[in-house]
Amino acid sequence: MAVAAVIAVIVLIFIVRSLKIVPQQHAWVIERLGRYHATLTPGLKVIIPFVDRVAYKHSLKEIPLDVPSQVCITRDNTQLQVDGILYFQVTDAMRASYGSSNYIMAISQLAQTSLRSVIGKLELDKTFEERAVINAQVVAAIDEAALNWGVKVLRYEIKDLTPPKEILHAMQAQITAEREKRALIAASEGRRQEQINIATGEREAYIARSEGEKQAAINNAQGEAASITAVADATAQAIERIAAAIRQPGGEQAVQLKVAERAVDAFGKVASDAKTTLIVPNDMSQVSGLLMSAMTMLKGPGAQTVADSTRNPG
């Protein structure tokens, strides 16, 4: 009975040690008699007790690794305090077990040396501008070496870049000077634009005034031309009416009467002026004839005979 109990215990222990349950996203490395035998994937697995053993257990999840802060020297001999974080994943459990005694420490050290190498090729200003380039170069350098360790480096991110205090003060002063410079440039550009706008406005106003004066002159000229045309048309109409009136019966006598009246008025004004010397023509018959014609026209047709008899008594 005791022997049966012992055998049962041995069988139970044998069964327990032979069954292995591997969790999801894990890989277990099995050694048989001290040598690598297999890699167990997630699920229920069976091994030979006392012959096989689980030598290494690896997580296949993405693992973040904090890279210790370090001092890096840039190309222009400036010290920078740099720290970052690295993300990696075990892709080959066998190589991760036997490729390196401590792949986590190896990756961390390689990240630090690669970062110093990359930053040493850049100047201080470029290190702040090209973080993405630095991260990519560090990942490429680590990933090439980590392949033998069964590890895949996914990405590297710089958490902080801290220059010395003196450099910080100098950078702050440079930024302040640059901003003041931009402010002065902006102010000068504003004044320049203001002057351009004023000059443009004055030019447009002068052009507008000149166009107005030009239009006014054109309008005045057109008005004067229209006035002259109207006067000429009125004069022409008056002349046409006078000519038509002359062609009517008695028109010529009316014209002669008007001329005589004007002549008599002219002689009268000349004679009444004390300062004017009156020159009488030699042939007074011309004046008397003119006066007689005017008088005859005034008196009518009956007076014509009397005038003729007066001039010619015989």
Side-chain angles (χ1 to χ4, degrees):
M1 192 67 181
V3 174
V6 171
I7 293 174
V9 172
I10 292 173
V11 171
L12 182 61
I13 294 173
F14 185 85
I15 294 173
V16 171
R17 292 182 65 91
S18 63
L19 297 177
K20 299 295 181 183
I21 299 176
V22 181
Q24 183 65 33
Q25 283 296 94
H26 284 74
W28 292 0
V29 175
I30 301 300
E31 290 182 352
R32 176 169 292 176
L33 300 177
R35 296 182 60 184
Y36 170 77
H37 174 65
T39 300
L40 300 183
T41 56
L44 179 63
K45 306 297 178 181
V46 179
I47 63 174
I48 301 174
F50 306 107
V51 176
D52 296 339
R53 73 182 185 91
V54 179
Y56 300 97
K57 295 180 180 180
H58 297 285
S59 174
L60 303 182
K61 300 176 183 179
E62 185 175 339
I63 301 173
L65 177 62
D66 191 11
V67 179
S69 177
Q70 62 176 333
V71 176
C72 300
I73 299 177
T74 63
R75 184 177 179 181
D76 49 357
N77 297 323
T78 302
Q79 293 184 352
L80 281 177
Q81 192 77 22
V82 186
D83 61 347
I85 186 169
L86 183 70
Y87 296 87
F88 70 94
Q89 185 178 24
V90 175
T91 56
D92 190 334
M94 190 272 288
R95 289 189 177 184
S97 301
Y98 303 103
S100 174
S101 60
N102 190 339
Y103 62 85
I104 294 178
M105 180 180 292
I107 291 174
S108 177
Q109 294 296 322
L110 186 57
Q112 288 181 314
T113 57
S114 300
L115 181 62
R116 287 196 295 267
S117 176
V118 172
I119 290 181
K121 299 176 183 178
L122 300 174
E123 295 182 354
L124 177 63
D125 294 338
K126 293 295 184 180
T127 58
F128 295 98
E129 299 174 1
E130 300 183 359
R131 286 197 177 192
V133 176
I134 296 173
N135 296 337
Q137 291 182 1
V138 171
V139 170
I142 300 174
D143 195 39
E144 183 179 358
L147 290 176
N148 295 326
W149 305 333
V151 176
K152 173 67 176 177
V153 178
L154 302 176
R155 59 187 179 277
Y156 177 82
E157 297 291 339
I158 296 176
K159 292 195 297 184
D160 194 14
L161 287 172
T162 307
K165 293 182 179 180
E166 295 80 5
I167 300 298
L168 282 175
H169 292 318
M171 292 174 63
Q172 186 64 39
Q174 181 180 3
I175 293 173
T176 302
E178 186 67 25
R179 290 180 178 176
E180 291 177 353
K181 175 184 175 182
R182 288 199 297 266
L184 291 174
I185 293 174
S188 63
E189 287 292 335
R191 289 192 296 270
R192 174 175 173 270
Q193 190 62 41
E194 179 185 5
Q195 293 175 358
I196 291 174
N197 293 339
I198 292 174
T200 303
E202 292 178 352
R203 183 185 65 183
E204 293 178 354
Y206 178 78
I207 293 174
R209 286 195 299 269
S210 64
E211 288 291 336
E213 293 173 357
K214 173 184 175 183
Q215 190 61 42
I218 292 173
N219 293 338
N220 292 333
Q222 291 177 349
E224 292 178 359
S227 175
I228 293 172
T229 302
V231 172
D233 291 340
T235 303
Q237 292 178 1
I239 293 173
E240 289 178 357
R241 291 181 179 179
I242 292 172
I246 291 174
R247 288 192 296 269
Q248 296 294 325
E252 293 182 358
Q253 289 80 4
V255 173
Q256 293 175 0
L257 176 60
K258 192 67 175 177
V259 171
E261 289 178 352
R262 293 290 179 90
V264 171
D265 291 339
F267 275 108
K269 290 180 180 180
V270 170
S272 63
D273 191 354
K275 296 181 181 180
T276 304
T277 301
L278 181 62
I279 301 174
V280 180
N282 294 327
D283 189 0
M284 294 301 293
S285 62
Q286 294 180 0
V287 178
S288 62
L290 181 61
L291 294 175
M292 289 300 294
S293 296
M295 294 300 294
T296 301
M297 290 179 185
L298 290 173
K299 291 179 180 180
Q304 182 67 33
T305 305
V306 178
D308 293 340
S309 61
T310 304
R311 289 197 305 269
N312 300 313

